[in-house]
Amino acid sequence: MQLKSVTYPACPGGPAHKWARPGAGCCPGRMQNSSSKPCSCPSLKLREVASMYFTLVAAFLVILVVALQGSAPRGSDFPYKVPLDPQGLLELSWNVSYPEQAVHFQLLIRELQFGLLFGMSDRGEFENADLAVLWSDGHNSYFGDAWSDAKGQLHMDSQQDYQLLGARRAPEGLYLLFRRAFSTCDPKDYLIEDGTVHLIYGILEKPVHSLQAINVSALHGGLQRVQLLKPNISIPELPRDMKTMEITAPDVVIPSQETTYWCYMAELPEGFPKHHIIMYEPVVTAGNEALVHHMEVFQCAAEFDSFPHYSGPCDSKMKPDRLNYCRHVLAAWAMGAQAFYYPEEAGLAFGGPGSSRYLRLEIHYHNPLVFKGRRDSSGIRLYYTATLRPYDAGIMELGLVYTPVMAIPPGEDSFILTGYCTDKCTQLALPAAGIRIFASQLHTHLAGRKVVTVLSRDGREQRVVNADGHYSPHFQEIRMLKEVVAVFPGDELITTCTYNTEDRSRATVGGFGILEEMCVNYVHYYPQTQLELCKSAVDPGYLHRYFNLVNRFNDEEICMCPQVSVPQQFYSIPWNTFNRDVLKSLYGFAPISVHCNKSSAVRFPFSDPKSDDFWKELSAVNYPAKSQGNTCEQQRGWCRPQVPLHP
């Protein structure tokens, strides 16, 4: 492999040298936060000069790819791996260097044509994307850092932050190695953060004579979601008496449709005693790595003596209704995730008295190329031990109650809802020594865009428990935290979700349906307590006052009465600026109904005083009434709707 490098101009105060990235001397690639010193970046004028310089010298590195017979780089150097495309022709591996604050990528191209685009964007779009481009004009091949504008037009980046480290041919294809800092001084670059990253790729099937000649809209491409910044956690020592159990769906013929959720019922042996799950990992049928998107194992409710056997689509009318009572998560895996390890002092209990023998495996198949007749026997392998660890691990639900009183107006690009696990609940339910959160699984339905849970103590935010600023409902996994979070009695856990409903014409209410919404963080912790659910929703009485206020200040006549369901009342609201703003204020300041529930669904007893201050302040504002009177209010007074509040 012969590489021709270009000597780049140095950053102010730094020497010029080969392979130096413009800006490297002044922006060493560290994450920028409130405690770190801001990067000193080149001024706009210097950047313009640099851009002109790069254009003149053709800053892209020329790769003369020689077909050498070589061995592939060691897999141990790149512990994380994911197929980018459904056919498995592009395979990405990577490692994370926290000391360098950089990600090292290894991209295997099994069938190279005339190049490809690889990069990152906010939601997986090819517009406003940060890209590394490999392309050929039919004679020479080029590599460089580029970006796309809002119209998808490619531009060479004046600051080359995708640093090429090498390229090599092997029998299985071309290996391309490059590096990218988490954070750069370049406003055109994507900031690599904790949480989900939307990777995009595009394959060039014809030679192109310039970067600008690449038509992004005509590319054969796609996206893949991963967690790039994996936590650097030491693997605990596993016990000698460890056993394994594979929960797999045998010989499934993957349906020839893009999306399928497959349910399979498994059963533990009769009289299976209590064990601790200490680790689990995926079992994916060879050749189906690009089709098995994510998998979960649920334990069924213990109050049922038996569950019917079933293997079929989860949305089939033939699926027994009782399978809906299998909702306690034992394991969850998503494409790109590694094995999950419990802390050495805790394990997840299963088996024994009070525990159901029945398990439900759910597999999400993503088959965009609609392959036919593909057989699969994937699942999850549990590692467990009869030697119980000091603590049982528990799973607690934080966020919002599944109820229609929490709703999102249509046409919103960024609507925020917040659920509270209050200090009163933790004061009653947690042991004096507190609990330790070591993992988290964030969850919304299709409108969710961001999720964050923070720990608050004495009214002050202490730290972020888990956050995903690029959350996707299509990529949900249990993620180990970089550091264990200690939660003590009197602490508050606040979960905030951001939604986008720009593609919807009516309100989206909370609930279990896929077109309804949730805001949940399943936190994994130890030692297990009786507290299983700590969530909130706006007080339903105050929501009814909102409906009456909408009636009063709008031309439309909407009867807000008990016989009209809460969703129907939301659907009938005319979503003008006033109604939207008042609803936001309601959710931000009105009293809440707190659910502080034991595993038996019984609430911990405590009082949560209500206040009328919010509505006193709201009624003091002089809004001009648009309608004269309200028939429903005049005839029936304050008719409170019957609001189902499901935990």
Side-chain angles (χ1 to χ4, degrees), residues 436-456:
R436 304 294 183 267
I437 299 175
F438 60 88
S440 163
Q441 182 184 16
L442 306 175
H443 178 73
T444 75
H445 286 173
L446 299 180
R449 294 296 181 268
K450 300 178 182 180
V451 187
V452 59
T453 297
V454 299
L455 170 68
S456 177

Side-chain angles (χ1 to χ4, degrees), residues 37 43 108 241 285 309 331 481 507 579 616:
K37 186 177 179 180
S43 67
L108 170 59
D241 68 343
T285 300
H309 291 285
L481 304 184
N579 294 341
K616 288 178 181 177

Side-chain angles (χ1 to χ4, degrees), residues 29 39 47 84 130 171 243 270 403 478 546 586 611 635 646:
C39 289
R47 290 180 60 82
L84 289 182
D130 178 15
K243 297 180 180 180
E270 189 79 39
T403 169
I478 302 174
Y546 166 75
L586 171 76
S611 170
Q635 293 181 355
H646 300 292

Side-chain angles (χ1 to χ4, degrees), residues 279-423:
M279 170 191 167
Y280 61 82
E281 64 182 359
V283 180
V284 179
T285 300
N288 293 342
E289 292 84 357
L291 301 180
V292 180
H293 187 271
H294 70 257
M295 301 181 286
E296 291 185 272
V297 176
F298 300 89
Q299 190 167 35
C300 300
E303 57 260 33
F304 296 99
D305 294 331
S306 64
F307 281 80
H309 291 285
Y310 179 75
S311 181
C314 298
D315 59 356
S316 171
K317 294 181 180 179
M318 301 300 293
K319 188 192 77 171
D321 290 340
R322 186 166 289 189
L323 270 61
N324 296 327
Y325 291 90
C326 305
R327 294 170 49 197
H328 180 69
V329 179
L330 288 184
W333 171 89
M335 190 180 287
Q338 298 295 101
F340 183 92
Y341 294 87
Y342 280 85
E344 58 185 359
E345 60 270 27
L348 185 65
F350 80 131
S355 176
S356 174
R357 294 193 300 113
Y358 296 91
L359 309 175
R360 176 169 64 89
L361 171 67
E362 183 176 298
I363 304 176
H364 173 199
Y365 292 112
H366 181 58
N367 185 13
L369 299 182
V370 195
F371 292 120
K372 295 182 178 180
R374 188 74 67 89
R375 294 186 177 273
D376 184 73
S377 297
S378 297
I380 289 179
R381 182 182 295 117
L382 305 176
Y383 292 75
Y384 62 98
T385 175
T387 305
L388 301 182
R389 291 179 167 182
Y391 301 111
D392 284 349
I395 302 173
M396 186 190 307
E397 287 189 39
L398 307 176
L400 288 172
V401 179
Y402 308 137
T403 169
V405 303
M406 306 301 296
I408 307 133
E412 293 283 343
D413 66 339
S414 183
F415 194 88
I416 294 173
L417 293 177
T418 299
Y420 299 87
C421 176
T422 65
D423 52 351

Side-chain angles (χ1 to χ4, degrees), residues 8-323:
Y8 295 120
C11 261
H17 59 90
K18 291 184 178 182
W19 298 107
R21 289 167 295 122
C26 61
C27 192
R30 61 180 178 271
M31 289 293 288
Q32 299 178 55
N33 52 45
S34 58
S35 61
S36 63
K37 186 177 179 180
C39 289
S40 174
C41 300
S43 67
L44 180 60
K45 190 172 183 180
L46 283 173
R47 290 180 60 82
E48 290 172 347
V49 172
S51 179
M52 292 171 61
Y53 173 83
F54 286 128
T55 302
L56 290 172
V57 301
F60 290 104
L61 303 178
V62 180
I63 307 176
L64 303 178
V65 181
V66 181
L68 298 177
Q69 293 299 318
S71 59
R74 292 177 302 173
S76 59
D77 294 337
F78 298 92
Y80 313 115
K81 181 171 65 176
V82 65
L84 289 182
D85 67 309
Q87 293 176 295
L89 300 178
L90 300 175
E91 183 178 278
L92 180 72
S93 303
W94 74 96
N95 65 40
V96 182
S97 174
Y98 285 101
E100 295 181 23
Q101 294 283 281
V103 180
H104 294 84
F105 295 101
Q106 173 184 272
L107 185 58
L108 170 59
I109 310 166
R110 298 188 189 277
E111 295 181 10
L112 179 64
Q113 298 186 48
F114 291 93
L116 62 86
L117 282 67
F118 167 83
M120 298 166 273
S121 66
D122 183 42
R123 308 297 308 177
E125 317 91 343
F126 274 93
E127 297 77 27
N128 299 315
D130 178 15
L131 299 163
V133 185
L134 174 68
W135 57 280
S136 171
D137 58 9
H139 304 285
N140 295 315
S141 298
Y142 305 87
F143 176 91
D145 188 340
W147 56 276
S148 63
D149 58 27
K151 296 181 179 180
Q153 179 64 49
L154 296 188
H155 303 269
M156 180 174 60
D157 202 330
S158 60
Q159 183 171 311
Q160 295 288 294
D161 291 306
Y162 282 106
Q163 181 183 1
L164 181 66
L165 303 177
R168 185 171 190 168
R169 278 207 184 276
E172 58 270 32
L174 174 69
Y175 284 92
L176 201 63
L177 279 71
F178 51 98
R179 175 187 183 276
R180 169 67 154 73
F182 297 173
S183 174
T184 71
C185 292
D186 190 346
K188 302 297 184 183
D189 282 354
Y190 181 93
L191 176 64
I192 301 176
E193 301 175 288
D194 291 332
T196 301
V197 177
H198 290 71
L199 303 177
I200 57 176
Y201 67 89
I203 298 173
L204 299 178
E205 299 175 332
K206 297 179 180 179
V208 290
H209 297 285
S210 69
L211 184 72
Q212 289 73 22
I214 298 175
N215 183 0
V216 172
S217 62
L219 291 179
H220 168 64
L223 73 94
Q224 184 62 276
R225 301 175 182 92
V226 300
Q227 180 196 19
L228 278 182
L229 302 188
K230 301 289 187 180
N232 186 16
I233 298 175
S234 58
I235 297 176
E237 185 177 350
L238 300 176
R240 294 182 178 180
D241 68 343
M242 179 182 67
K243 297 180 180 180
T244 63
M245 176 187 299
E246 292 189 358
I247 311 297
T248 59
D251 206 29
V252 173
V253 178
I254 300 176
S256 54
Q257 59 190 35
E258 181 172 349
T259 300
T260 300
Y261 284 84
W262 193 272
C263 284
Y264 174 76
M265 291 298 295
E267 187 177 343
L268 298 177
E270 189 79 39
F272 187 76
K274 179 180 178 180
H275 289 77
H276 270 167
I277 298 172
I278 55 177
M279 170 191 167
Y280 61 82
E281 64 182 359
V283 180
V284 179
T285 300
N288 293 342
E289 292 84 357
L291 301 180
V292 180
H293 187 271
H294 70 257
M295 301 181 286
E296 291 185 272
V297 176
F298 300 89
Q299 190 167 35
C300 300
E303 57 260 33
F304 296 99
D305 294 331
S306 64
F307 281 80
H309 291 285
Y310 179 75
S311 181
C314 298
D315 59 356
S316 171
K317 294 181 180 179
M318 301 300 293
K319 188 192 77 171
D321 290 340
R322 186 166 289 189
L323 270 61

Side-chain angles (χ1 to χ4, degrees), residues 571-585:
Y571 299 155
S572 64
I573 290 176
W575 289 107
N576 53 42
T577 302
F578 173 81
N579 294 341
R580 294 172 188 269
D581 289 346
V582 175
L583 185 64
K584 291 177 183 178
S585 298

